[in-house]
Amino acid sequence: EDQVTQSPEALRLQEGESSSLNCSYTVSGLRGLFWYRQDPGKGPEFLFTLYSAGEEKEKERLKATLTKKESFLHITAPKPEDSATYLCAVKAAGNKLTFGGGTRVLVKP
Amino acid sequence: DTAVSQTPKYLVTQMGNDKSIKCEQNLGHDTMYWYKQDSKKFLKIMFSYNNKELIINETVPNRFSPKSPDKAHLNLHINSLELGDSAVYFCASSHRGANPSSYNEQFFGPGTRLTVL
């Protein structure tokens, strides 16, 4: 069965303090790894899709990378508006996404 | 210009009642999904429909019945509600196209918080 584990569960950062979130996965036949951002009371918002090991994608202060066993979401010089829960999900055969438990990020000014 | 919308946003009801949640997407996608997010924030797939055909049906009690009248709508009907059904339910959509293994991302609605008393 596909498994996704995210760490840490929670992360407190000072504004400007860069850090990384980890997403470890076990899946047979990875068809894509997805990062989402979820704000309280809202649905997940799509950030990135990574398809193969070595791939990297960037958006503003966020950069996602992928290896054969894990993905990292790097937050560079975060701002308070980057506070959210970041979710990682993998897709194997078909269109089923398996999500991790998320990392709650709080960026203090 | 809402992409994926759900109604209602909040639903409070008594045990044993039957309720429905509606979902609509205006993205032109051909695949829609229902997810359940429990109190620990884990998102788990429940159902998926592609062009009105059920393609994913996880281990969900048969009290839950999805209905897709057309490609843009996927409703969730729940019979005989139980306390454990309390959660946030999210609808999502994506474009699958001709390739069932396509990588296309899923877009989520705002969620429906269901509370069963």
Side-chain angles (χ1 to χ4, degrees):
Chain A
E1 189 173 315
D2 303 338
Q3 286 196 324
V4 180
T5 304
Q6 291 188 246
S7 61
E9 285 188 13
L11 192 57
R12 282 174 169 249
L13 300 170
Q14 286 296 130
E15 184 172 2
E17 178 188 0
S18 301
S19 188
S20 294
L21 284 54
N22 178 266
C23 171
S24 298
Y25 63 90
T26 304
V27 63
S28 51
L30 180 71
R31 307 288 180 143
L33 185 140
F34 301 79
W35 281 99
Y36 285 84
R37 168 192 171 127
Q38 186 174 23
D39 292 299
K42 296 190 176 181
E45 175 188 342
F46 171 74
L47 292 174
F48 304 109
T49 309
L50 300 167
Y51 303 134
S52 56
E55 189 174 0
E56 298 183 353
K57 288 199 175 170
E58 284 188 70
K59 180 180 179 179
E60 295 180 1
R61 294 176 293 281
L62 301 177
K63 178 180 175 181
T65 62
L66 181 65
T67 72
K68 288 189 177 178
K69 292 184 178 181
E70 57 192 351
S71 177
F72 292 93
L73 183 66
H74 308 278
I75 311 178
T76 303
K79 297 183 177 182
E81 52 262 43
D82 295 322
S83 298
T85 296
Y86 291 87
L87 300 169
C88 169
V90 296
K91 184 162 77 170
N95 273 16
K96 175 183 167 183
L97 284 184
T98 300
F99 279 86
T103 295
R104 284 180 285 110
V105 174
L106 176 63
V107 182
K108 292 192 162 187
Chain B
D1 59 345
T2 305
V4 182
S5 59
Q6 296 178 227
T7 54
K9 185 161 177 64
Y10 300 97
L11 186 52
V12 181
T13 188
Q14 299 287 333
M15 260 187 358
N17 284 350
D18 302 339
K19 290 294 178 185
S20 292
I21 307 172
K22 295 186 175 182
C23 178
E24 176 181 3
Q25 55 93 5
N26 63 7
L27 296 167
H29 289 161
D30 57 7
T31 307
M32 296 183 72
Y33 312 80
W34 277 110
Y35 286 85
K36 179 180 181 180
Q37 189 171 45
D38 59 25
S39 56
K40 294 187 177 180
K41 304 299 183 185
F42 271 94
L43 263 170
K44 289 197 71 175
I45 183 75
M46 299 173 69
F47 303 102
S48 177
Y49 271 75
N50 174 255
N51 286 322
K52 301 195 296 175
E53 179 186 348
L54 183 65
I55 56 171
I56 295 175
N57 186 356
E58 292 295 289
T59 307
V60 176
N62 58 15
R63 298 181 294 103
F64 290 78
S65 53
K67 286 184 172 51
S68 182
D70 55 57
K71 283 196 307 184
H73 296 85
L74 181 62
N75 303 324
L76 183 65
H77 189 76
I78 316 170
N79 289 327
S80 304
L81 279 155
E82 300 178 357
L83 293 176
D85 297 332
S86 296
V88 182
Y89 292 85
F90 288 99
C91 176
S93 73
S94 71
H95 181 67
R96 186 186 186 202
N99 182 357
S101 298
S102 61
Y103 304 126
N104 296 320
E105 58 270 13
Q106 296 178 17
F107 292 87
F108 285 77
T112 296
R113 180 174 292 277
L114 171 64
T115 303
V116 183
L117 304 175

